[in-house]
Structures are given as structure tokens and as C-alpha cells.
Amino acid sequence: MAEQEKPRIDPVNCSVARSLAVVGERWSLLIVREALDGASRFGDFRTRLGIASNLLSTRLDSLVAAGVLRRVPYQEPGDRQRFEYQLTEKGLDLRPTLMALLEWGDKYLADEQGPPIIVRHGPDGDSGDLCDEPVTMVLECAAGHTHLPPDAVYRAPGPGARFLPT
């Protein structure tokens, strides 16, 4: 008797695809990177990224619509009202994604001299202690196991899984 085929999860119902719909365009993640580094005004983003104004405007609008950034009005004396762009919780939660992309890029795409940026552990909240050691991404399961090799991780159906008809 043939082994019964496992039900296949519908690939359209996918959090990776949904995430890429929000931040999968190159400029979107670069805008988030700059916001994580303190940029908040249109001119800051345009100068730091060298992006065309119309493209930047479109990307900022889409990140605001997706809830990654929020527009906050401000006004310089004698000037018209403008907006700053601040990361929401959803935007701040993209930091590990950018860290993972940075590590991958450093491993496979860095110049001979090495990576252009090293992310370090800064001062801790209340204590103010500065560790200054490099920060790395670590996969960890709920039981606390770390440094999981790729073949020790698999995708399993979650509560929102939809299956393809067999």
C-alpha cells in the first residue's frame, strides 16, 4: 500500500509573502533601516539614501498605510507644517529582520576588507552599562535551545494553516 501523502499547506496563505508585500521592495527596508538609525524627516531619508523624492514619497506612504511608520506633524518657526516619520511597534519589530539580512550580506557579499558595519551592544537601559561586543542573531526554540542548524528547523502547520485539497 502506498504511503499516504501529507496534506500540503496552501502557499498563498503565507506570512513570508504577506511580509514581502509590505517591505519586500528594496527602498522600503532601507527606509526602515535609516529610521532605526534615527532618520525621521523626508529630507533625512532623501539625503541618506539618495532616493528620488517621488519614489521616497510613495514608499513612505506605503509604510504608513501598512502601520510600519506613523506620520507626526511638526512645524519650524516661519515654515509650513510638515511631517516626521516615526517607527511604530510593527516597524521596530523589523530590527531582527534587518539584522539577519546584514549578517547574511556580511557573510556572502562583504568586500575583502570585511563588513562595513558592525552592530554592537550599546548601553543597557537603566544601568547604562556599555558592553560594546558585536551582536549576532541566534535562532532559539521555546525550550531555550540555541544555535540550531538548518536541518534541525522545519515548518509545521500553525493555527491559521489552510490546506490544499488532496
Side-chain angles (χ1 to χ4, degrees), residues 3-161:
E3 188 176 320
Q4 188 173 0
E5 195 175 307
K6 270 188 356 185
R8 209 166 139 249
I9 297 173
D10 184 351
V12 174
N13 181 28
C14 173
S15 293
V16 172
R18 289 183 187 126
S19 300
L20 289 173
V22 174
V23 294
E25 194 279 327
R26 172 184 185 239
W27 290 113
S28 297
L29 276 178
L30 293 176
I31 290 167
V32 172
R33 178 195 68 191
E34 293 305 318
L36 286 165
D37 281 348
S40 63
R41 296 185 177 181
F42 190 91
D44 296 337
F45 292 113
R46 192 179 63 225
T47 301
R48 289 178 178 208
L49 294 170
I51 183 175
S53 294
N54 62 330
L55 188 54
L56 175 58
S57 182
T58 300
R59 294 295 170 252
L60 288 169
D61 287 346
S62 68
L63 290 168
V64 168
V68 173
L69 295 172
R70 77 172 64 85
R71 275 191 187 92
V72 178
Y74 76 93
Q75 188 169 5
E76 298 289 344
D79 210 354
R80 66 179 175 87
Q81 179 178 299
R82 297 180 185 273
F83 293 95
E84 287 187 327
Y85 296 89
Q86 296 176 353
L87 289 162
T88 62
E89 181 180 355
K90 189 187 280 190
L92 290 167
D93 283 347
L94 283 166
R95 184 181 301 273
T97 302
L98 286 164
M99 287 283 305
L101 285 169
L102 177 71
E103 282 189 21
W104 184 86
D106 287 349
K107 182 174 181 176
Y108 295 106
L109 305 171
D111 294 337
E112 289 178 15
Q113 298 86 354
I117 299 287
I118 297 174
V119 178
R120 296 186 173 278
H121 182 189
D124 276 332
D126 294 332
S127 72
D129 292 339
L130 177 64
C131 171
D132 206 33
E133 288 299 317
V135 174
T136 59
M137 295 297 299
V138 176
L139 290 179
E140 180 178 342
C141 76
H145 302 116
T146 59
H147 304 287
L148 307 173
D151 62 351
V153 178
Y154 66 96
R155 295 172 5 122

